[in-house]
Amino acid sequence: MQNHNTNKTLLAALMACLLFTSCSNRKVVDVDETIRDPSAENGSLIQVNPMIPNAVSLLLLESDELVSQGQATQAILTLKRALSISPGSALVQQHLAEVYLVEAAYKEAMYWSTLVVNQGPDQGELCERSRRTQALAAELLGQVEVQARALESIDSCTTAKPAQY
Amino acid sequence: MAGLFVPWYFYINYITDTIVQDQWDVPSVAYARPLELYEGLNLSPEALTFELDLLGYQSTSSAPQTGQYLFNNNTFTIQSKGFQFPDLSTPAQKISLTIQNDKVVSVTPRLARLEPHIIGRFFTSDFENRLPIVLNAIPDTMIKGLQAVEDRDFKNHHGVSWFGILRAAVKNILAGEVVQGGSTITQQLVKNKLRYHQTSFLRKAHEALAASILETKMTKAEILESYFNEVYWGQDGKVAVHGVVEAAQFYFAKPVSQLNVADQALLIGVIKGPSWYNPYRQTKRALLRRDVVLDVWLETGVINAKQHQLAKKTPLGLSKSRQLKTNFDDFMDVVRQQIKKQFSLGDLKRDGLRIFTTMDPYVQYKTTQTARKTSQWLDAEVESAILVSGAKSGELLAVSGSKTAASQYNRALFAKRQIGSLIKPLVYLSGLELLPTFDLNSTLKDMPLTVPTNDQKIWQPKNWDGNALGPISATQALVQSRNQATVDLGLKITLRKFINFLKQMGIQVQRNRHPALFLGAIELTPFEVQHVFGIFSSRGANQFVNAIRYVADQDNKILGRSQQSTSHQLATQNIDSINQAMHQVTTEGTARKLTSTFQLSGPLFGKTGTTNAGKDSWYAGFDHHYLATVWVGRDDNRATPYSGSNGALVLWGHLFKNLY
């Protein structure tokens, strides 16, 4: 009987532990603070601003507004709509990666940020944003090596001005 | 007598309880992708007109009303119907857009979205199509108009109109048979619910008692609401159209709120005999019936003289979308396959889920058209299967599983066929991934070779032309589809490593451990081939072709959405190298006909595939917008005169010629 109770206690402790672990994995990510603001300081001589239709710009603004209102699911649908207009747009893909981070869908955040890293611009602000997102997603997924690689590659997004003589 | 009446009463009482508690099974609905309208969109007037016709819009030469469009001097003015999308409610609105050289050059508002077309439903076994609506969402004229035509005493009686029955009885006695019902709306509701198809005096008594009891259990408003959701309005093939929402969609392709007085009168008129007054088949009879209803409405004050005059002048205005020959069944097969991983068939048949798919109706139309002409361009004995998806998005846009509408076998999804040389891009990609010193400039030996196999035999692969070119570059070997050079590379990779590589790409090799695998001795469906080439067209971004964007419930809550993932870690530059070679295939290799004969502008990328004696003819290729796989062959797996270049490629060329 005592053995049975001990088992029950252990099981409850295990469940609580699992629950706690699961909760601790879900981290509230402030995209502006951790990704966008530091990337905006990117001072690369070469800045790549992908061209997108006006309609996509409207949808990006709309999704940002939805995220600020805490409606990440709606924001994702809005971005998927933008992606249906510009399927290869690195800017839309980056927005998606960031919203997935906010929604704690880290695998999706990793997928979209990796796509921007592989196929998006390799210079400038967007380049840095994708690598910061990838690094953060990798950290939250426990992929230390990917995180390290992503952090190291941030510097490659900047081409410094040549020294003046 | 009383001994019979008591159990009868309890039985009817029980029946009315089931009517009150009855909940409708609402079939889930699958929608095509909505057409987004924005500046810069590649869109021909033909494509937009097709889309508008499919959605039931009517062309007009004056200022368009809701559900109409005006096309004049390259400019479309559309009065849209609005739609409740899960991300945003799109209101009914005026959209103006100008198209020049098949491109939208201006549009107001800057981003507009048309409602999506319904491409399929998940029915229960009785094939009833219904979407419930609340009473206050139904136009007042229709509610009052129903009572004026079917049951003027509805507000006052208690389920049975004795005067109505008396009047009907006199007529029936004079005629010597049952010629008039005299049923109230409540009785008709009972009749519909209990599925009475015969008229007899006993049934009438049954209905009358049930209606009287029902009136004590439901308010008049509840009875009306139930009636509008229950009543049978016609037949769409084997599917029964029930309820005003589906009737409005079926006859006018409109939401109920946007039915005009003439539309409403036709619908109310049709209730008396949906088959007899079928407006699609009996146009004159239906028009007369509508006008009778309008006269009754004027006489009873439901509408005024001006409305009456205007409605009578209005043509029937039926939706043309039913008459457009489009075939969505093959695409729905894919939707069924993909959705069953997330939802049970029971949920789909009952819960009225809204499935937003990736299907592009215009691309589907062009794909079906191409497939239907297979026998015109090729031998009458061969069948075809075609799939089209977004080159970058991995979204499935169209599927054709056969060259004929009559065929029930979806070859695109279910026909496992040997893929032949379609495997070569994967052999060369695995070489780039797995062999550190290999690139497409490396030299391969295109010469006779002898390969021992696991079953102690000797295998001697030959080239399709019987020649051997000697040492050639890997690019040349891939572009010219050289078998011996490819096996030379394959042996360097090793069969074991190649099989593991295919596994990473999502291709399972079950039994085949023969080196002929390097030349495509593996059976895949056209759909699986589409997955594989999606990796190339998206530069490694997509591994899976999705047919569903997301699924919502009736309250627009998202229940599931497509998620992208990949199980490979391919280097983008390696994929780019293979794509470069596949581009050369279309300019100087086995698919050069696309640029020379078909004069497609491209840039195009692709690979032909042929199996022994032309049993299978394949072409999988893409441009920046679309990826398409075409298979041609015989169902009995017998020989055909076709290689990939003169069989599947012909359909692919015609398809792409028609898509732009």
Side-chain angles (χ1 to χ4, degrees):
Chain A
M1 186 67 184
Q2 197 180 4
N3 210 359
H4 185 67
N5 281 341
T6 314
N7 282 345
K8 266 183 147 178
T9 315
L10 273 173
L11 190 66
L14 185 66
M15 291 296 285
C17 183
L18 278 174
L19 194 65
F20 190 73
T21 315
S22 157
C23 291
S24 65
N25 274 345
R26 190 185 167 94
K27 186 178 167 182
V28 178
V29 177
D30 185 330
V31 167
D32 283 334
E33 193 181 294
T34 55
I35 296 166
R36 290 189 178 181
D37 292 348
S39 304
E41 288 170 18
N42 180 291
S44 179
L45 189 64
I46 305 165
Q47 290 288 338
V48 184
N49 297 310
M51 283 176 66
I52 46 169
N54 286 338
V56 172
S57 305
L58 286 175
L59 291 170
L60 290 179
L61 287 173
E62 196 176 304
S63 79
D64 281 349
E65 182 66 28
L66 286 165
V67 172
S68 69
Q69 291 167 4
Q71 298 182 48
T73 305
Q74 304 299 98
I76 287 168
L77 294 184
T78 303
L79 289 170
K80 288 283 178 86
R81 193 180 163 196
L83 211 56
S84 75
I85 295 171
S86 287
S89 166
L91 192 57
V92 180
Q93 291 163 350
Q94 176 58 30
H95 271 74
L96 260 174
E98 290 167 2
V99 181
Y100 277 122
L101 262 189
V102 171
E103 225 201 11
Y106 305 130
K107 278 187 184 170
E108 289 280 298
M110 176 64 106
Y111 170 81
W112 290 104
S113 59
T114 303
L115 201 56
V116 184
V117 168
N118 289 341
Q119 299 190 8
D122 58 3
Q123 288 289 304
E125 185 184 336
L126 188 55
C127 168
E128 187 165 336
R129 263 168 78 178
S130 63
R131 281 145 182 86
R132 286 186 183 278
T133 310
Q134 191 187 38
L136 197 49
E139 181 191 339
L140 293 162
L141 287 168
Q143 297 177 5
V144 185
E145 280 179 27
V146 179
Q147 181 195 7
R149 266 204 312 274
L151 288 172
E152 278 169 24
S153 69
I154 289 175
D155 283 347
S156 71
C157 295
T158 306
T159 300
K161 284 183 183 174
Q164 302 277 320
Y165 294 103
Chain B
M1 189 67 185
L4 279 175
F5 184 79
V6 172
W8 185 44
Y9 173 81
F10 279 109
Y11 170 67
I12 298 291
N13 192 42
Y14 166 75
I15 291 286
T16 53
D17 276 344
T18 62
I19 292 174
V20 173
Q21 291 157 9
D22 196 13
Q23 286 188 329
W24 287 290
D25 286 342
V26 181
S28 296
V29 180
Y31 296 98
R33 63 94 188 90
L35 180 63
E36 303 274 0
L37 299 167
Y38 55 91
E39 192 183 314
L41 171 69
N42 290 319
L43 183 73
S44 66
E46 182 209 357
L48 182 54
T49 306
F50 171 85
E51 192 96 27
L52 290 167
D53 289 346
L54 188 69
L55 291 169
Y57 282 79
Q58 287 163 1
S59 173
T60 179
S61 52
S62 54
Q65 304 295 307
T66 301
Q68 295 182 330
Y69 70 95
L70 169 68
F71 179 48
N72 186 21
N73 202 18
N74 289 337
T75 298
F76 281 85
T77 308
I78 305 162
Q79 198 66 47
S80 78
K81 303 176 214 172
F83 189 80
Q84 188 79 35
F85 287 97
D87 60 326
L88 190 73
S89 174
T90 303
Q93 60 183 337
K94 182 179 165 186
I95 303 165
S96 300
L97 78 157
T98 305
I99 297 176
Q100 279 172 7
N101 299 323
D102 292 346
K103 194 168 222 164
V104 176
V105 291
S106 70
V107 60
T108 312
R110 282 199 289 167
L111 175 61
R113 178 164 52 168
L114 295 178
E115 57 278 7
H117 180 66
I118 293 171
I119 59 167
R121 289 186 169 88
F122 290 82
F123 290 110
T124 49
S125 54
D126 54 8
F127 284 97
E128 283 190 10
N129 195 11
R130 176 192 289 110
L131 189 63
I133 188 172
V134 292
L135 191 66
N136 60 17
I138 300 170
D140 207 34
T141 33
M142 209 167 179
I143 297 170
K144 286 180 182 158
L146 172 75
Q147 295 166 60
V149 173
E150 294 291 330
D151 185 1
R152 287 190 200 179
D153 201 27
F154 177 70
K155 280 183 186 161
N156 304 316
H157 65 63
H158 299 285
V160 181
S161 170
W162 298 110
F163 176 70
I165 288 177
L166 195 65
R167 188 185 56 204
V170 171
K171 284 200 173 181
N172 292 342
I173 288 165
L174 288 175
E177 59 180 331
V178 180
V179 292
Q180 194 178 75
S183 299
T184 62
I185 286 174
T186 320
Q187 282 172 282
Q188 289 182 47
L189 176 63
V190 170
K191 187 179 166 185
N192 265 281
K193 285 274 191 189
L194 301 184
R195 304 279 193 277
Y196 287 165
H197 298 301
Q198 290 169 335
T199 310
S200 69
F201 288 109
L202 184 64
R203 282 276 154 86
K204 281 276 159 209
H206 209 82
E207 260 173 46
L209 181 61
S212 302
I213 296 172
L214 198 62
E215 290 260 351
T216 64
K217 295 177 180 177
M218 293 172 87
T219 65
K220 290 283 184 186
E222 284 168 344
I223 289 169
L224 278 175
E225 184 175 299
S226 193
Y227 183 92
F228 272 110
N229 285 312
E230 179 61 46
V231 75
Y232 171 68
W233 243 299
Q235 199 72 24
D236 184 9
K238 61 182 175 181
V239 178
V241 178
H242 282 265
V244 67
V245 176
E246 291 301 339
Q249 189 62 40
F250 178 62
Y251 290 113
F252 302 109
K254 284 182 186 175
V256 174
S257 60
Q258 289 171 11
L259 295 172
N260 61 36
V261 171
D263 300 339
Q264 294 170 31
L266 179 68
L267 287 186
I268 295 299
V270 162
I271 291 173
K272 192 179 175 190
S275 178
W276 182 252
Y277 296 111
N278 182 337
Y280 282 112
R281 280 189 276 120
Q282 305 293 345
T283 311
K284 276 187 187 170
R285 194 183 290 162
L287 194 66
L288 281 173
R289 174 70 186 153
R290 184 200 72 175
D291 288 350
V292 167
V293 170
L294 286 170
D295 292 344
V296 172
W297 286 7
L298 177 67
E299 178 195 320
T300 51
V302 175
I303 54 174
N304 60 35
K306 198 177 165 189
Q307 285 175 304
H308 177 258
Q309 204 178 6
L310 186 69
K312 271 206 155 180
K313 279 184 194 162
T314 310
L316 278 185
L318 297 169
S319 159
K320 281 190 218 158
S321 59
R322 288 180 69 245
Q323 292 147 10
L324 287 174
K325 293 203 173 187
T326 44
N327 186 349
F328 305 131
D329 292 349
D330 291 338
F331 193 95
M332 281 301 293
D333 284 342
V334 183
V335 172
R336 278 187 201 96
Q337 282 235 328
Q338 294 196 345
I339 202 164
K340 73 181 181 192
K341 292 172 193 159
Q342 282 184 293
F343 299 95
S344 75
L345 203 55
D347 291 344
L348 292 166
K349 289 175 176 176
R350 271 192 317 267
D351 294 348
L353 304 182
R354 306 169 81 213
I355 303 152
F356 291 86
T357 76
T358 55
M359 202 205 72
D360 183 320
Y362 188 65
V363 175
Q364 178 65 60
Y365 171 60
K366 291 288 178 183
T367 303
T368 306
Q369 265 192 339
T370 306
R372 297 284 180 270
K373 290 182 180 169
T374 302
S375 298
Q376 186 181 319
W377 295 317
L378 304 174
D379 193 290
E381 297 296 315
V382 297
E383 259 294 354
S384 67
I386 309 175
L387 292 127
V388 187
S389 58
K392 290 175 186 149
S393 67
E395 290 188 337
L396 188 66
L397 305 176
V399 182
S400 168
S402 171
K403 65 176 179 180
T404 62
S407 174
Q408 298 293 309
Y409 181 43
N410 190 341
R411 290 155 191 80
L413 202 52
F414 301 115
K416 286 245 178 205
R417 309 289 300 213
Q418 287 217 351
I419 64 169
S421 297
L422 285 190
I423 203 155
K424 283 177 183 156
L426 288 175
V427 177
Y428 288 80
L429 181 62
S430 69
L432 293 173
E433 290 282 327
L434 302 172
L435 302 175
T437 57
F438 175 75
D439 63 36
L440 290 193
N441 293 317
S442 302
T443 302
L444 296 172
K445 285 181 276 185
D446 190 52
M447 50 184 67
L449 71 168
T450 301
V451 186
T453 61
N454 280 348
D455 52 1
Q456 317 301 321
K457 289 181 181 167
I458 296 291
W459 180 58
Q460 293 178 307
K462 298 209 167 27
N463 282 315
W464 55 271
D465 56 1
N467 296 327
L469 300 180
I472 54 172
S473 73
T475 300
Q476 193 184 351
L478 178 54
V479 171
Q480 295 182 13
S481 205
R482 307 304 296 177
N483 287 348
Q484 289 168 340
T486 304
V487 175
D488 180 36
L489 172 63
L491 294 175
K492 287 175 187 157
I493 296 164
T494 76
L495 194 57
R496 184 182 57 81
K497 283 187 181 170
F498 183 57
I499 289 171
N500 282 340
F501 177 80
L502 291 181
K503 207 171 170 182
Q504 268 188 44
M505 303 292 107
I507 301 170
Q508 296 296 332
V509 181
Q510 302 292 347
R511 295 178 299 273
N512 192 336
R513 300 275 161 178
H514 194 281
L517 182 64
F518 295 126
L519 300 182
I522 180 175
E523 290 181 345
L524 296 181
T525 64
F527 192 63
E528 287 167 329
V529 169
Q530 187 79 353
H531 282 297
V532 171
F533 277 79
I535 296 172
F536 293 106
S537 70
S538 67
R539 299 175 71 215
N542 301 316
Q543 190 169 346
F544 302 105
V545 177
N546 278 322
I548 299 168
R549 283 184 179 167
Y550 46 82
V551 179
D553 65 13
Q554 288 181 68
D555 300 323
N556 269 333
K557 188 181 161 208
I558 296 293
L559 303 176
R561 59 179 184 233
S562 69
Q563 295 192 332
Q564 286 292 354
S565 62
T566 50
S567 59
H568 64 73
Q569 290 187 326
L570 298 168
T572 310
Q573 67 267 29
N574 288 340
I575 297 174
D576 288 347
S577 296
I578 300 296
N579 283 348
Q580 186 110 31
M582 286 207 284
H583 172 56
Q584 281 179 256
V585 170
T586 67
T587 55
E588 57 197 78
T590 51
R592 60 185 176 279
K593 204 183 276 181
L594 293 176
T595 42
S596 59
T597 309
F598 286 96
Q599 298 199 315
L600 295 170
S601 52
L604 303 169
F605 310 81
K607 186 72 192 80
T608 51
T610 313
T611 62
N612 288 345
K615 287 178 182 169
D616 303 280
S617 160
W618 292 91
Y619 184 70
F622 55 93
D623 64 6
H624 285 313
H625 295 290
Y626 303 114
L627 159 69
T629 297
V630 178
W631 168 85
V632 166
R634 287 175 60 132
D635 285 341
D636 58 10
N637 208 23
R638 288 166 71 179
T640 78
Y642 301 114
S643 64
S645 303
N646 62 6
L649 189 79
V650 174
L651 297 190
W652 199 98
H654 281 292
L655 173 66
F656 271 61
K657 197 96 184 153
N658 284 326
L659 279 176
Y660 294 102

